[in-house]
mmCIF file of all heavy atoms in Angstrom:
data_model
loop_
_atom_site.group_PDB
_atom_site.id
_atom_site.type_symbol
_atom_site.label_atom_id
_atom_site.label_comp_id
_atom_site.label_asym_id
_atom_site.label_seq_id
_atom_site.Cartn_x
_atom_site.Cartn_y
_atom_site.Cartn_z
ATOM 1 N N MET A 478 118.459 117.508 122.614
ATOM 2 C CA MET A 478 118.958 116.759 123.769
ATOM 3 C C MET A 478 120.481 116.750 123.803
ATOM 4 O O MET A 478 121.096 116.815 124.882
ATOM 5 C CB MET A 478 118.426 115.322 123.721
ATOM 6 C CG MET A 478 116.928 115.204 123.939
ATOM 7 S SD MET A 478 116.402 115.739 125.587
ATOM 8 C CE MET A 478 117.135 114.446 126.581
ATOM 9 N N ALA A 479 121.118 116.678 122.648
ATOM 10 C CA ALA A 479 122.587 116.713 122.605
ATOM 11 C C ALA A 479 123.113 118.062 123.084
ATOM 12 O O ALA A 479 124.124 118.130 123.816
ATOM 13 C CB ALA A 479 123.064 116.406 121.193
ATOM 14 N N LYS A 480 122.434 119.154 122.692
ATOM 15 C CA LYS A 480 122.854 120.474 123.154
ATOM 16 C C LYS A 480 122.705 120.603 124.672
ATOM 17 O O LYS A 480 123.593 121.140 125.356
ATOM 18 C CB LYS A 480 122.029 121.554 122.452
ATOM 19 C CG LYS A 480 122.397 121.766 120.993
ATOM 20 C CD LYS A 480 121.570 122.894 120.393
ATOM 21 C CE LYS A 480 121.954 123.119 118.940
ATOM 22 N NZ LYS A 480 121.163 124.230 118.339
ATOM 23 N N MET A 481 121.587 120.102 125.201
ATOM 24 C CA MET A 481 121.381 120.168 126.650
ATOM 25 C C MET A 481 122.402 119.309 127.392
ATOM 26 O O MET A 481 122.929 119.713 128.467
ATOM 27 C CB MET A 481 119.962 119.709 126.987
ATOM 28 C CG MET A 481 118.867 120.648 126.483
ATOM 29 S SD MET A 481 117.214 120.006 126.748
ATOM 30 C CE MET A 481 117.163 119.924 128.525
ATOM 31 N N ALA A 482 122.729 118.151 126.869
ATOM 32 C CA ALA A 482 123.733 117.303 127.513
ATOM 33 C C ALA A 482 125.106 117.964 127.476
ATOM 34 O O ALA A 482 125.888 117.869 128.446
ATOM 35 C CB ALA A 482 123.774 115.941 126.832
ATOM 36 N N TYR A 483 125.418 118.656 126.397
ATOM 37 C CA TYR A 483 126.714 119.340 126.306
ATOM 38 C C TYR A 483 126.799 120.481 127.325
ATOM 39 O O TYR A 483 127.828 120.674 127.987
ATOM 40 C CB TYR A 483 126.902 119.862 124.890
ATOM 41 C CG TYR A 483 128.128 120.733 124.726
ATOM 42 C CD1 TYR A 483 129.404 120.173 124.712
ATOM 43 C CD2 TYR A 483 128.011 122.114 124.592
ATOM 44 C CE1 TYR A 483 130.536 120.962 124.567
ATOM 45 C CE2 TYR A 483 129.123 122.917 124.442
ATOM 46 C CZ TYR A 483 130.390 122.339 124.432
ATOM 47 O OH TYR A 483 131.502 123.129 124.287
ATOM 48 N N ARG A 484 125.710 121.225 127.440
ATOM 49 C CA ARG A 484 125.708 122.322 128.413
ATOM 50 C C ARG A 484 125.798 121.796 129.848
ATOM 51 O O ARG A 484 126.448 122.418 130.716
ATOM 52 C CB ARG A 484 124.451 123.161 128.261
ATOM 53 C CG ARG A 484 124.412 123.979 126.966
ATOM 54 C CD ARG A 484 123.075 124.658 126.808
ATOM 55 N NE ARG A 484 123.011 125.392 125.537
ATOM 56 C CZ ARG A 484 121.911 125.998 125.078
ATOM 57 N NH1 ARG A 484 120.786 125.947 125.812
ATOM 58 N NH2 ARG A 484 121.946 126.622 123.929
ATOM 59 N N ALA A 485 125.149 120.678 130.121
ATOM 60 C CA ALA A 485 125.201 120.120 131.479
ATOM 61 C C ALA A 485 126.576 119.570 131.813
ATOM 62 O O ALA A 485 127.022 119.634 132.973
ATOM 63 C CB ALA A 485 124.143 119.029 131.627
ATOM 64 N N SER A 486 127.248 119.009 130.833
ATOM 65 C CA SER A 486 128.567 118.419 131.089
ATOM 66 C C SER A 486 129.698 119.444 131.056
ATOM 67 O O SER A 486 130.815 119.136 131.467
ATOM 68 C CB SER A 486 128.852 117.320 130.068
ATOM 69 O OG SER A 486 128.888 117.881 128.754
ATOM 70 N N LYS A 487 129.430 120.649 130.584
ATOM 71 C CA LYS A 487 130.479 121.671 130.491
ATOM 72 C C LYS A 487 130.746 122.275 131.878
ATOM 73 O O LYS A 487 129.824 122.775 132.518
ATOM 74 C CB LYS A 487 130.038 122.767 129.521
ATOM 75 C CG LYS A 487 131.112 123.810 129.266
ATOM 76 C CD LYS A 487 130.626 124.830 128.251
ATOM 77 C CE LYS A 487 131.687 125.891 127.996
ATOM 78 N NZ LYS A 487 131.239 126.900 127.011
ATOM 79 N N PRO A 488 131.968 122.239 132.360
ATOM 80 C CA PRO A 488 132.259 122.804 133.704
ATOM 81 C C PRO A 488 132.244 124.331 133.668
ATOM 82 O O PRO A 488 132.528 124.945 132.642
ATOM 83 C CB PRO A 488 133.651 122.261 134.018
ATOM 84 C CG PRO A 488 134.277 122.035 132.684
ATOM 85 C CD PRO A 488 133.157 121.636 131.756
ATOM 86 N N GLU A 489 131.907 124.925 134.821
ATOM 87 C CA GLU A 489 131.899 126.386 134.905
ATOM 88 C C GLU A 489 133.317 126.950 134.886
ATOM 89 O O GLU A 489 133.583 127.978 134.258
ATOM 90 C CB GLU A 489 131.177 126.814 136.188
ATOM 91 C CG GLU A 489 129.704 126.426 136.211
ATOM 92 C CD GLU A 489 129.030 126.852 137.485
ATOM 93 O OE1 GLU A 489 129.745 127.428 138.371
ATOM 94 O OE2 GLU A 489 127.807 126.637 137.619
ATOM 95 N N VAL A 490 134.246 126.290 135.579
ATOM 96 C CA VAL A 490 135.654 126.714 135.580
ATOM 97 C C VAL A 490 136.481 125.570 135.004
ATOM 98 O O VAL A 490 136.391 124.422 135.487
ATOM 99 C CB VAL A 490 136.135 127.040 137.011
ATOM 100 C CG1 VAL A 490 137.607 127.469 136.996
ATOM 101 C CG2 VAL A 490 135.271 128.127 137.619
ATOM 102 N N SER A 491 137.270 125.881 134.016
ATOM 103 C CA SER A 491 137.996 124.819 133.339
ATOM 104 C C SER A 491 139.117 124.252 134.215
ATOM 105 O O SER A 491 139.185 123.042 134.436
ATOM 106 C CB SER A 491 138.565 125.341 132.019
ATOM 107 O OG SER A 491 139.443 126.432 132.267
ATOM 108 N N TYR A 492 139.967 125.110 134.772
ATOM 109 C CA TYR A 492 141.042 124.657 135.660
ATOM 110 C C TYR A 492 141.476 125.851 136.502
ATOM 111 O O TYR A 492 141.318 127.008 136.109
ATOM 112 C CB TYR A 492 142.222 124.085 134.871
ATOM 113 C CG TYR A 492 142.813 125.039 133.873
ATOM 114 C CD1 TYR A 492 143.859 125.911 134.229
ATOM 115 C CD2 TYR A 492 142.329 125.096 132.581
ATOM 116 C CE1 TYR A 492 144.391 126.798 133.319
ATOM 117 C CE2 TYR A 492 142.855 125.976 131.661
ATOM 118 C CZ TYR A 492 143.887 126.811 132.025
ATOM 119 O OH TYR A 492 144.415 127.686 131.102
ATOM 120 N N PRO A 493 142.068 125.623 137.721
ATOM 121 C CA PRO A 493 142.482 126.733 138.596
ATOM 122 C C PRO A 493 143.688 127.485 138.019
ATOM 123 O O PRO A 493 144.588 126.881 137.423
ATOM 124 C CB PRO A 493 142.834 126.045 139.905
ATOM 125 C CG PRO A 493 143.144 124.641 139.527
ATOM 126 C CD PRO A 493 142.279 124.308 138.362
ATOM 127 N N ILE A 494 143.708 128.816 138.197
ATOM 128 C CA ILE A 494 144.766 129.675 137.663
ATOM 129 C C ILE A 494 145.739 130.041 138.798
ATOM 130 O O ILE A 494 145.310 130.477 139.876
ATOM 131 C CB ILE A 494 144.170 130.945 137.047
ATOM 132 C CG1 ILE A 494 143.227 130.560 135.874
ATOM 133 C CG2 ILE A 494 145.266 131.878 136.563
ATOM 134 C CD1 ILE A 494 142.489 131.744 135.298
ATOM 135 N N ASP A 495 147.045 129.866 138.556
ATOM 136 C CA ASP A 495 148.092 130.212 139.527
ATOM 137 C C ASP A 495 148.527 131.658 139.294
ATOM 138 O O ASP A 495 148.962 132.012 138.196
ATOM 139 C CB ASP A 495 149.275 129.259 139.378
ATOM 140 C CG ASP A 495 150.283 129.450 140.521
ATOM 141 O OD1 ASP A 495 150.006 130.290 141.390
ATOM 142 O OD2 ASP A 495 151.299 128.748 140.480
ATOM 143 N N GLU A 496 148.420 132.520 140.305
ATOM 144 C CA GLU A 496 148.728 133.934 140.142
ATOM 145 C C GLU A 496 150.224 134.189 140.011
ATOM 146 O O GLU A 496 150.646 135.244 139.532
ATOM 147 C CB GLU A 496 148.181 134.717 141.320
ATOM 148 C CG GLU A 496 146.655 134.669 141.423
ATOM 149 C CD GLU A 496 146.135 135.431 142.617
ATOM 150 O OE1 GLU A 496 146.990 135.916 143.398
ATOM 151 O OE2 GLU A 496 144.891 135.536 142.744
#
Side-chain angles (χ1 to χ4, degrees):
M478 292 296 292
K480 287 182 179 181
M481 293 174 63
Y483 173 74
R484 291 173 183 174
S486 62
K487 185 178 179 180
E489 296 180 358
V490 180
S491 60
Y492 57 90
I494 299 174
D495 189 2
E496 296 179 356

